[in-house]
Amino acid sequence: MLEAMMRAKVGDDVFREDTTVNLLEEHIAKMFNKDMALFFPSGTMANQTAIKLHTQPGDQIICDKYSHIFNYESGGVSFNSGVSCNLLDVNNGFFTAKDVENAINPSAYYYSKTSLVEIENTANRRGGSCWDFNEIKKIKAVCTKNNLGFHLDGARLWNALVAKKETTEQYGEVFDTISVCLSKGLGCPIGSVLVGDAKIMENAIRVRKIFGGNMRQAGYLAAAGIYALNNHVERLAQDHEKAKNIADVLSKLSIIKSVEPTETNIVIFELNAGVSENEFVKKLAAKNIHIISMGGNKLRMVTHLDYTDAMHEKVLLTLNKMFS
């Protein structure tokens, strides 16, 4: 990947003259059968731009209670777009078309206008789980009927595609806008891409500029994305298998209360009452194994490109030795 970055042909992307950025955007737009794609320095900025394109101040978004756009984007939906979120907390985050119908505000002027439905695939706080594509299509029908936008936070969409054997074209047909991340599982140092049809994407580059996201010779970064798409997608299945291995070991430890179903590369588990999550994290850190505490005695482990087979064996061995 680093060699591909160093060989990249670059130009000034502010003037749309960076050959490699243009190639990346064209490639991803074609993958999803969309008119346009735009390269961003972060998934948060890509999501925030999509929200801005779909909404007007005072509008409301329907999304999951644990969605990234609500929990982990620093209140950007309100700060950047002046909109609120109608948070659904049903069916472990996988709300249905009927739930969406019920969440749409009445048309009376004293209600905020529902203008956008947003989902996240895979769902981070829901343990890297994947949406049922048939339900996604039903939600799309509700959006079409009620003139609502439909945005996908596809930060880990590549994981979902591999796990469910689905295609980018399927998702491009259903969603108005999709953000996809090139870091995380694909291993790039930086970057996300927002795709959509020409009309909705018309002002995307202007919004990116407002958010401070325009870059100059960004082709060095875009080259990493092209390399990752060509080499790192199918290997995500290895991350999924390792995550399932970890979940299996954790489920057999006496100090573990429960392990959430592990579908892709995220393992979320809960410690028994009386077991200190801080001490658990510290003990692993002492062995150079670093994980994230989520609070409430829940913790998270994530497998990824740089998590090697040797590291994996050490993690499994350490868990068994220290906590069995």
Side-chain angles (χ1 to χ4, degrees):
M1 181 183 286
L2 187 60
E3 290 174 2
M5 292 169 71
M6 292 300 99
R7 292 196 304 267
K9 294 180 180 179
V10 300
D12 191 336
D13 186 53
V14 169
F15 294 98
R16 312 304 289 150
E17 294 173 350
D18 191 297
T19 304
T20 308
V21 171
N22 294 340
L23 284 173
L24 173 66
E25 292 174 347
E26 290 164 8
H27 179 52
I28 292 187
K30 186 176 180 180
M31 289 177 72
F32 288 92
N33 198 24
K34 291 292 191 184
D35 297 329
M36 292 178 62
L38 189 64
F39 184 49
F40 284 80
S42 74
T44 291
M45 189 182 287
N47 282 336
Q48 291 298 309
T49 296
I51 292 166
K52 190 74 174 171
L53 296 175
H54 281 287
T55 64
Q56 293 295 322
D59 287 358
Q60 191 168 85
I61 305 168
I62 296 171
C63 60
D64 176 40
K65 176 182 178 181
Y66 292 115
S67 63
H68 193 277
I69 64 166
F70 179 74
N71 287 276
Y72 301 118
E73 297 187 7
S74 302
V77 290
S78 58
F79 188 88
N80 295 318
S81 295
V83 300
S84 60
C85 294
N86 187 346
L87 302 174
L88 304 185
D89 188 17
V90 295
N91 196 30
N92 198 32
F94 296 103
F95 51 79
T96 65
K98 187 65 177 176
D99 295 323
V100 171
E101 279 187 314
N102 292 337
I104 298 171
N105 281 338
S107 59
Y109 72 88
Y110 41 80
Y111 288 97
S112 58
K113 179 185 176 183
T114 303
S115 59
L116 177 64
V117 177
E118 184 269 356
I119 72 170
E120 181 182 330
N121 200 20
T122 65
N124 178 19
R125 281 286 297 270
R126 302 294 187 175
S129 46
C130 304
W131 278 76
D132 177 352
F133 192 75
N134 288 326
E135 195 61 44
I136 289 175
K137 290 193 290 185
K138 292 176 184 177
I139 294 172
K140 173 62 175 180
V142 172
C143 291
T144 301
K145 178 182 176 182
N146 293 276
N147 196 30
L148 306 179
F150 199 16
H151 174 64
L152 172 65
D153 176 356
R156 288 159 301 279
L157 179 60
W158 313 112
N159 295 86
L161 295 177
V162 169
K164 304 286 282 186
K165 294 180 171 54
E166 294 165 345
T167 68
T168 51
E169 290 87 354
Q170 285 177 280
Y171 280 81
E173 186 177 354
V174 173
F175 289 93
D176 298 307
T177 51
I178 301 171
S179 64
V180 289
C181 186
L182 300 171
S183 61
K184 300 184 176 71
L186 295 192
C188 293
I190 187 173
S192 287
V193 176
L194 180 67
V195 298
D197 291 327
K199 186 175 180 181
I200 190 69
M201 292 290 288
E202 183 179 5
N203 286 315
I205 194 166
R206 181 183 299 276
V207 176
R208 187 182 72 174
K209 172 66 174 176
I210 291 168
F211 289 164
N214 276 10
M215 297 176 282
R216 295 292 181 176
Q217 286 72 32
Y220 297 114
L221 304 176
I226 294 171
Y227 181 89
L229 290 170
N230 290 333
N231 294 278
H232 290 170
V233 175
E234 293 304 320
R235 63 147 304 280
L236 291 170
Q238 300 169 29
D239 296 342
H240 302 170
E241 185 61 31
K242 287 173 181 172
K244 290 178 174 66
N245 294 158
I246 294 171
D248 183 57
V249 169
L250 287 169
S251 68
K252 295 172 183 175
L253 300 182
S254 59
I255 65 169
I256 304 297
K257 179 180 179 181
S258 63
V259 181
E260 295 187 10
T262 303
E263 196 170 1
T264 54
N265 68 324
I266 298 177
V267 184
I268 294 179
F269 59 99
E270 185 175 355
L271 301 172
N272 285 328
V275 179
S276 168
E277 61 182 281
N278 289 334
E279 287 303 314
F280 185 89
V281 171
K282 285 179 181 178
K283 285 181 180 179
L284 289 179
K287 298 290 185 179
N288 202 28
I289 298 170
H290 302 277
I291 70 171
I292 291 177
S293 170
M294 301 177 69
N297 254 20
K298 281 193 171 184
L299 300 107
R300 186 182 77 148
M301 293 183 176
V302 180
T303 56
H304 52 87
L305 175 68
D306 295 319
Y307 176 64
T308 65
D309 291 343
M311 293 175 182
H312 185 53
E313 291 304 316
K314 177 179 177 179
V315 167
L316 299 182
L317 184 64
T318 301
L319 288 172
N320 276 316
K321 277 189 173 182
M322 292 179 66
F323 304 110
S324 60

